Amino acid sequence: IKMALRMNAALLSVALALLSSRADAFSTPASAFVARSRAASAAGVGPLHMSDKEKKEVTFDTKTQKELTYDKSGRFFETGDSIECIPEDEYCAVDKETGEMIRLTVEEKERIFLDALQSYYVSGRQMLNDEEFDLLKEDLAWNGSDVAVLNRQEARFMAATQAYMKGEPIMSDAEFDALKAELREEGSKFAVDTEPKCYVDTGICKVTMQEDNFRSNLLYLPAGAILTIGWLALGFELIEPLIRLNPLVLLLLGAYPIYQGSLTITNDFLFPNNKIVYGPCPSCEVNQRVYFGNILGVEGFNDVASCKCTNCKVQFQVQKNTMRASTVVPKN
């Protein structure tokens, strides 16, 4: 046993001696790394970088972003006007001076499509040939535009317009007006001309205005505010002594009577037959607003409003029912 203890003590002392020796006996000195680095620099070997072929810079212009495209690596990114238009894949406009293809926005293509349809059906003139028209229609369909697809009512309207211009009407004036009013309520771009059009033969400019729903609803605000205050005051005076109610509950109970009272007072006494329309001037395209109806007993415009543009001072008339604005026939 004493012999074994002496051997264990000898082994322990050897292990402690090894641990207390230099720790970098098996490590590479720092001078070796410096020498290797200098040798690599002398041999012209630099650090590892990505090759130039793998570099791909993609720039984005927030003002001209229009469509998505992709590079050879399969990454999608948005492109601007710097990408040339491809006439085989999309409808392109041609610059008359340089002859270069110009890429158009979806809004510009829709305008050309509508002008081509109206020119063909109304005046019988063909702005685009069949191949260009089919390419434009297909391009708009791929871009998800609703203009390229006509519904049944719009097709009837265009056919009726073409037949009327040829002197062979297929429906009466009342049916045509009803069809046009239906399309206008649906927001069809074929029945509403939001941009002025001038006719060379007559010298008259026309445009279709729109109803100003926001300002029309503001006309009911005075009566509604007075009735609301009166209802709350009356409710607190009569109901408060009997039962305690939350003001919101009291206001909710009086919502329908206040609504009906506001309609009656406004339409019958304050602003009878009221209607507010807005749109560009048929001559200079400056935004105009026209009010139809009476104001506190003072008579205003009824069916036709004769106005003068605030910018160009041109006289024009607005129809209340159709909201059609047209300049006055010039006197010879």
Side-chain angles (χ1 to χ4, degrees), residues 9-125:
L11 292 175
L12 181 60
S13 61
V14 172
L16 293 174
L18 290 175
L19 290 176
S20 61
S21 62
R22 295 180 58 185
D24 57 350
F26 300 97
S27 62
T28 305
S31 58
F33 285 105
V34 176
R36 291 178 185 176
S37 178
R38 291 177 180 176
S41 300
V45 180
L48 182 62
H49 293 285
M50 184 182 293
S51 63
D52 295 337
K53 294 182 179 180
E54 296 178 354
K55 292 183 179 179
K56 183 66 177 180
E57 294 184 359
V58 180
T59 57
F60 295 89
D61 188 357
T62 57
K63 296 182 180 179
T64 58
Q65 289 179 352
K66 292 180 181 179
E67 297 181 0
L68 286 176
T69 186
Y70 61 93
D71 55 14
K72 296 181 179 179
S73 63
R75 293 176 300 177
F76 284 87
F77 59 94
E78 296 188 23
T79 60
D81 293 331
S82 58
I83 304 299
E84 296 182 357
C85 186
I86 305 175
E88 291 80 7
D89 298 337
E90 60 181 323
Y91 179 81
C92 305
V94 181
D95 191 350
K96 295 181 180 180
E97 297 181 357
T98 61
E100 297 179 355
M101 296 292 181
I102 303 175
R103 169 167 287 181
L104 302 175
T105 61
V106 178
E107 290 77 10
E108 293 172 340
K109 295 176 183 178
E110 289 178 347
R111 181 176 299 179
I112 295 175
F113 183 81
L114 292 176
D115 291 342
L117 277 180
Q118 293 178 353
S119 176
Y120 178 77
Y121 282 102
V122 176
S123 60
R125 294 178 298 176

Side-chain angles (χ1 to χ4, degrees), residues 212-285:
D212 194 343
N213 295 320
F214 177 74
R215 286 175 171 79
S216 297
N217 293 330
L218 287 180
L219 298 177
Y220 300 92
L221 183 60
I226 294 175
L227 290 178
T228 301
I229 296 174
W231 173 265
L232 292 177
L234 184 63
F236 278 111
E237 290 293 334
L238 298 180
I239 302 178
E240 184 69 18
L242 301 178
I243 185 174
R244 198 176 196 84
L245 287 179
N246 191 307
L248 296 179
V249 177
L250 183 62
L251 188 61
L252 184 62
L253 294 176
Y256 184 76
I258 293 173
Y259 171 75
Q260 291 295 335
S262 300
L263 293 180
T264 303
I265 295 175
T266 302
N267 295 332
D268 296 342
F269 301 101
L270 299 181
F271 307 103
N273 302 322
N274 63 83
K275 187 176 185 179
I276 302 177
V277 299
Y278 74 98
C281 170
S283 180
C284 65
E285 301 186 11

Side-chain angles (χ1 to χ4, degrees), residues 270-304:
L270 299 181
F271 307 103
N273 302 322
N274 63 83
K275 187 176 185 179
I276 302 177
V277 299
Y278 74 98
C281 170
S283 180
C284 65
E285 301 186 11
V286 175
N287 197 24
Q288 306 290 321
R289 284 187 175 83
V290 181
Y291 174 80
F292 291 93
N294 304 333
I295 302 177
L296 296 176
V298 180
E299 295 185 359
F301 298 120
N302 293 324
D303 296 331
V304 180

